[in-house]
Amino acid sequence: MNDLVRQHTALGETDLEWLHLLVSEWQLLSDLSFADLVLWVPTLDGTRYVSVAQMRPNTGPTSYQDDMVGHLVPRGRRPLLDAALDEGRIVREGDPEWREEVPVRVESIPVRREGRVLGVIARNTNLLTVRTPSRLELTYLQSASDLAQMIAAGSFPFPGQQVDMDASPRVGDGLIRLDAEGVVTYASPNALSAYHRLGLASDLVGQHLGTTTTELAPSRGAVDEALVKLASGWAPRETEVEGNSGVIQLRAIPLKPKGTRIGSLVLCRDVTELRRRERELITKDATIREIHHRVKNNLQTVAALLRLQARRMDSPQGREALNEAVRRVGSIAIVHETLSQNLDERVEFDEIADRVIAMVSEISPGKVDCRRTGRFGILDAEVATPLSMVLTEILQNALEHAFTQGERGTVEVSAVRSGTGRADGRLLITVIDDGKGLPEGFDPQRAGNLGLQIVRTLVEGELGGTFDMVRAEPRGTKVVLDIPSSPQK
């Protein structure tokens, strides 16, 4: 719509904002009218109209099989558009139009803002399924007529009240019509069912909705007066009411077709099950985070015990073995600590990689520089946990065996992601050092040291990837990991 309005019309940004506000609300008018809506705006030279938005009803058949947005028609071809734009009034046609053997009633509603007519809404009703209207349909149509008059007068939509139609109640969810005093004159079956969920044992018609709603909801102290006003339809507001183990969502729309409030529409939706599931998810998320937090604490306790034991060891080899175990446990603890702070089982692995690099760098005599390039991105916990251990083992191996005591050097960890989605994504990880390189005849697939055995097992077994270790040029060692970026089923 932005492009069409800016390209073809003389409307300014504030006018465009008003049209956006209207379009965010007009599903309500379409559903109440059982009709398609097309918004036509006059072009810059005034000789044509351009259709900038379209809405089909959820409550009836459409009148347009094709998309109308972007169509241009000259003035004079649709006299109802001309009359509504020039005279600023709602124009109705006596005889229906026939479109592909379907009779369509056409009406034009001027869109007014601050005394100016910005465009015209063409309301097109498919008459093929017309029958004797029920009380519900009559209420819908009368409410639609009131809203149309408010649009023509410039009093609807309500400024500053942009609505998220995906979250707000819709016409089919439940509709209540109130008179000027807030008394119910009509309640749809869905609306009545929602109030029964709150604990209402009688009919709604004839009752003051604000008072009834407040009585059904738990005592809210000073908030009761605001709830009475909202449920009585005095102002355009939304709220949720909870009572008797039920939750309903209310949206009030004051009706002022001639400038004076004649009543209100209240849309309502039973959201009891939705809120129950949300609470369950919140509880589940909190439980999962607490579990990760406790696992992290337990792993840190294990690492502390191993560290204490290492200090009591007389054997240098035994002490080093325990320190390696401390780092292995620590790498897993880092993942669980990150998971304890997230709402899902996915983590930003770059932060974990940096912490693993910092942790393992503690064993360096201080002259080897470890750094990361590239991005790992977000990974599932099932990938992050074994990958953190693999990274720990590879870095430990590089720092312990690639450099002699006091030798300067660098170890670089690089990560490159490929693929368009989680299903086909891959992660290429390269760890390069400029140390003394591999000994002659070294075979990484058969080397018996524990660290490399752990790497092979995790990369090939758990991660479903490949692992290789080769000489780097001009010197040093290069470790290459190629793994899927999502868990393998």
Side-chain angles (χ1 to χ4, degrees):
M1 186 168 73
N2 288 350
D3 293 340
L4 289 170
V5 168
R6 290 167 180 155
Q7 179 182 354
H8 295 285
T9 79
L11 298 182
E13 291 301 314
T14 54
D15 294 330
L16 181 56
E17 288 177 12
W18 183 261
L19 295 184
H20 273 292
L21 191 60
L22 173 65
V23 168
S24 74
E25 292 271 26
W26 70 344
Q27 181 74 64
L28 174 65
L29 177 62
S30 178
D31 290 346
L32 290 172
S33 304
F34 308 98
D36 290 79
L37 306 178
V38 179
L39 177 58
W40 297 92
V41 180
T43 57
L44 185 62
D45 58 9
T47 62
R48 295 180 297 175
Y49 298 96
V50 58
S51 57
V52 298
Q54 179 178 0
M55 178 59 65
R56 291 184 171 90
N58 293 318
T59 52
T62 183
S63 302
Y64 290 107
Q65 300 302 322
D66 300 323
D67 189 359
M68 294 295 296
V69 175
H71 282 214
L72 290 160
V73 297
R75 274 184 68 94
R77 180 174 295 180
R78 300 193 178 184
L80 270 66
L81 294 181
D82 299 338
L85 182 70
D86 297 339
E87 301 172 23
R89 64 180 179 87
I90 298 174
V91 182
R92 294 180 174 87
E93 187 178 45
D95 297 325
E97 292 182 2
W98 286 84
R99 299 177 185 164
E100 299 179 358
E101 300 184 355
V102 175
V104 177
R105 183 174 63 242
V106 181
E107 302 167 87
S108 293
I109 305 166
V111 177
R112 192 184 304 272
R113 174 182 173 270
E114 297 181 353
R116 295 167 47 242
V117 178
L118 307 182
V120 179
I121 294 176
R123 181 164 56 175
N124 303 271
T125 308
N126 187 324
L127 301 178
L128 199 60
T129 58
V130 168
R131 60 187 183 280
T132 302
S134 64
R135 178 75 188 280
L136 179 145
E137 290 169 329
L138 288 172
T139 303
Y140 276 24
L141 292 171
Q142 180 57 55
S143 301
S145 176
D146 294 334
L147 283 178
Q149 291 183 57
M150 291 170 65
I151 292 172
S155 58
F156 186 84
F158 304 108
Q161 294 289 324
Q162 185 145 1
V163 175
D164 180 1
M165 290 306 298
D166 292 332
S168 294
R170 299 195 178 204
V171 169
D173 295 323
L175 179 140
I176 302 170
R177 176 80 187 225
L178 310 180
D179 65 14
E181 303 302 321
V183 176
V184 178
T185 60
Y186 176 78
S188 72
N190 284 348
L192 188 58
S193 175
Y195 266 81
H196 284 166
R197 189 74 176 262
L198 282 184
L200 180 70
S202 60
D203 196 359
L204 269 176
V205 175
Q207 298 199 42
H208 188 278
L209 188 66
T211 303
T212 301
T213 304
T214 306
E215 291 172 352
L216 293 172
S219 177
R220 295 153 54 124
V223 183
D224 286 348
E225 184 179 352
L227 180 59
V228 169
K229 287 187 175 181
L230 186 147
S232 301
W234 285 96
R237 295 285 187 274
E238 288 192 37
T239 192
E240 285 189 5
V241 180
E242 184 170 359
N244 192 38
S245 301
V247 185
I248 64 172
Q249 187 179 15
L250 298 178
R251 181 190 175 200
I253 304 165
L255 297 176
K256 303 176 181 179
K258 295 181 180 179
T260 303
R261 182 173 169 276
I262 63 167
S264 308
L265 284 180
V266 177
L267 304 181
C268 60
R269 174 193 292 165
D270 184 350
V271 292
T272 305
E273 294 304 316
L274 178 63
R275 296 296 174 258
R276 181 184 61 80
R277 288 196 296 270
E278 285 177 352
R279 287 200 227 13
E280 288 177 352
L281 287 173
I282 291 172
T283 302
K284 178 182 175 183
D285 288 340
T287 302
I288 290 173
R289 289 199 299 273
E290 178 63 20
I291 289 171
H292 285 303
H293 182 71
R294 294 189 181 189
V295 169
K296 182 263 296 183
N297 287 344
N298 290 338
L299 289 171
Q300 288 180 337
T301 301
V302 171
L305 291 172
L306 290 172
R307 200 175 290 113
L308 286 172
Q309 187 66 42
R311 290 172 185 167
R312 293 173 176 269
M313 292 286 292
D314 295 328
S315 167
Q317 293 87 353
R319 189 182 306 115
E320 182 55 34
L322 287 176
N323 285 332
E324 286 185 3
V326 168
R327 288 188 287 272
R328 288 166 184 151
V329 171
S331 66
I332 302 174
I334 290 172
V335 177
H336 283 282
E337 182 179 1
T338 306
L339 287 168
S340 70
Q341 300 168 2
N342 291 346
L343 293 176
D344 56 16
E345 291 290 286
R346 308 190 73 204
V347 295
E348 177 62 65
F349 196 80
D350 294 313
E351 177 187 348
I352 293 174
D354 291 341
R355 293 181 63 182
V356 167
I357 290 171
M359 178 184 68
V360 178
S361 294
E362 294 175 0
I363 69 174
S364 168
K367 296 186 178 181
V368 178
D369 177 32
C370 293
R371 59 175 179 262
R372 171 180 64 85
T373 61
R375 293 196 69 248
F376 288 86
I378 296 175
L379 299 177
D380 293 279
E382 297 172 62
V383 175
T385 302
L387 183 56
S388 67
M389 285 195 65
V390 167
L391 196 55
T392 301
E393 295 299 331
I394 293 173
L395 289 172
Q396 278 188 173
N397 188 72
L399 291 173
E400 288 179 1
H401 303 295
F403 306 97
T404 58
Q405 186 71 25
E407 184 182 4
R408 294 185 179 275
T410 60
V411 178
E412 181 177 297
V413 179
S414 69
V416 178
R417 290 188 75 149
S418 61
T420 56
R422 292 179 65 182
D424 62 348
R426 298 199 68 84
L427 187 57
L428 181 66
I429 304 164
T430 307
V431 181
I432 302 178
D433 66 67
D434 56 1
K436 58 188 175 183
L438 298 173
E440 289 295 331
F442 179 82
D443 184 357
Q445 304 302 328
R446 296 187 179 182
N449 109 30
L450 177 60
L452 290 181
Q453 287 182 17
I454 291 174
V455 171
R456 284 197 301 268
T457 300
L458 292 178
V459 171
E460 297 171 1
E462 282 201 43
L463 296 174
T466 59
F467 156 72
D468 198 10
M469 180 182 285
V470 297
R471 288 181 177 273
E473 295 297 337
R475 58 171 292 182
T477 304
K478 179 166 72 172
V479 179
V480 181
L481 307 175
D482 186 355
I483 64 172
S485 60
S486 59
Q488 299 303 290
K489 302 300 182 184

